[in-house]
Amino acid sequence: DQQVKQNSPSLSVQEGRISILNCDYTNSMFDYFLWYKKYPAEGPTFLISISSIKDKNEDGRFTVFLNKSAKHLSLHIVPSQPGDSAVYFCAASDKAAGNKLTFGGGTRVLVKP
Amino acid sequence: DAGVIQSPRHEVTEMGQEVTLRCKPISGHNSLFWYRQTMMRGLELLIYFNNNVPIDDSGMPEDRFSAKMPNASFSTLKIQPSEPRDSAVYFCASSFEGPYTEAFFGQGTRLTVV
């Protein structure tokens, strides 16, 4: 049972435009959500997070939106840059279950110059 | 801090052999996680420790897999005997204990079992 899903395996966007990555979850106990970025042959690196008491968190070019009623979150990257080309993972945790993270399957983003 | 350090980076072994993957977490972190990444299953949690104690090993696929954390600065994941379907990238991650914390990942060990 996949509790965190990223339904788009890949996304291609022109440099300077907006990239929108989506993530859905099924476990209503999740209360903390994170996005990780992964380059080939490297480990995932933390990008941005949001707790369930918020609906938006912004950090520079990256903004995460959370819609609890829809059990949906999204990551917006504006403007997209070629260096953003990577695989992006959505992750979630439930404080009652400790700090382990459940990951989505990832979305590969390609930013074209 | 050098971050989470994993060794080896690459491991090629023959089916039936024992494989040991190693991890040094970030100093001061008291939670440690072992993840496995495959094309079919993505990033799946195998086991995690809090304060060197295994908390959840429900993701460990079979008895052939075992993990230890003898102290706060070292952990191992052992596969014995190894099988071709164990081929994957294995990541170790660490974090502070508690909710609303992010985990920091090592660079991974790419395991190939032939």
Side-chain angles (χ1 to χ4, degrees):
Chain A
D1 175 34
Q2 247 188 320
Q3 297 188 67
V4 180
K5 291 184 182 180
Q6 294 175 254
N7 291 317
S8 298
S10 64
L11 172 70
S12 182
V13 65
Q14 206 67 35
E15 181 179 4
R17 306 297 290 267
I18 185 172
S19 294
I20 299 176
L21 292 79
N22 294 302
C23 178
D24 297 293
Y25 62 95
T26 56
N27 187 344
S28 57
M29 297 299 293
F30 285 147
D31 56 3
Y32 188 55
F33 305 89
L34 307 88
W35 285 93
Y36 280 79
K37 176 179 179 179
K38 185 183 180 304
Y39 293 120
E42 294 185 11
T45 56
F46 170 73
L47 195 55
I48 191 170
S49 64
I50 187 168
S51 72
S52 58
I53 61 173
K54 294 185 174 182
D55 55 17
K56 176 183 175 180
N57 187 28
E58 190 173 353
D59 183 2
R61 297 187 296 115
F62 303 91
T63 303
V64 56
F65 296 92
L66 175 63
N67 182 334
K68 286 193 296 285
S69 61
K71 294 191 178 69
H72 177 84
L73 64 155
S74 61
L75 174 68
H76 293 206
I77 307 173
V78 181
S80 300
Q81 299 174 354
D84 296 330
S85 296
V87 177
Y88 290 78
F89 290 95
C90 169
S93 69
D94 157 23
K95 65 175 180 286
N99 51 344
K100 66 178 183 179
L101 299 176
T102 301
F103 282 86
T107 297
R108 183 177 300 277
V109 173
L110 175 62
V111 180
K112 299 177 181 178
Chain B
D1 199 309
V4 176
I5 299 173
Q6 291 185 246
S7 64
R9 288 295 309 275
H10 302 273
E11 177 80 38
V12 180
T13 191
E14 290 186 347
M15 183 174 65
Q17 295 297 305
E18 175 182 304
V19 175
T20 299
L21 311 182
R22 296 172 176 79
C23 175
K24 177 176 167 40
I26 291 173
S27 177
H29 283 182
N30 51 6
S31 291
L32 183 139
F33 310 85
W34 283 100
Y35 284 88
R36 177 171 69 175
Q37 184 183 21
T38 60
M39 288 293 292
M40 292 297 294
R41 300 176 67 89
L43 266 169
E44 54 178 340
L45 179 67
L46 301 178
I47 186 171
Y48 87 96
F49 296 83
N50 275 351
N51 297 311
N52 313 339
V53 176
I55 301 300
D56 183 350
D57 65 354
S58 59
M60 295 286 262
E62 299 170 33
D63 290 345
R64 298 184 297 107
F65 286 69
S66 63
K68 293 183 179 178
M69 192 163 186
N71 57 62
S73 58
F74 184 65
S75 177
T76 59
L77 178 67
K78 184 180 293 187
I79 308 172
Q80 181 185 24
S82 57
E83 296 182 3
R85 60 194 168 117
D86 302 330
S87 298
V89 181
Y90 291 80
F91 290 103
C92 175
S94 71
S95 74
F96 292 110
E97 183 183 358
Y100 313 137
T101 60
E102 65 267 21
F104 294 81
F105 282 76
Q107 291 193 294
T109 295
R110 180 174 292 279
L111 174 64
T112 304
V113 184
V114 298

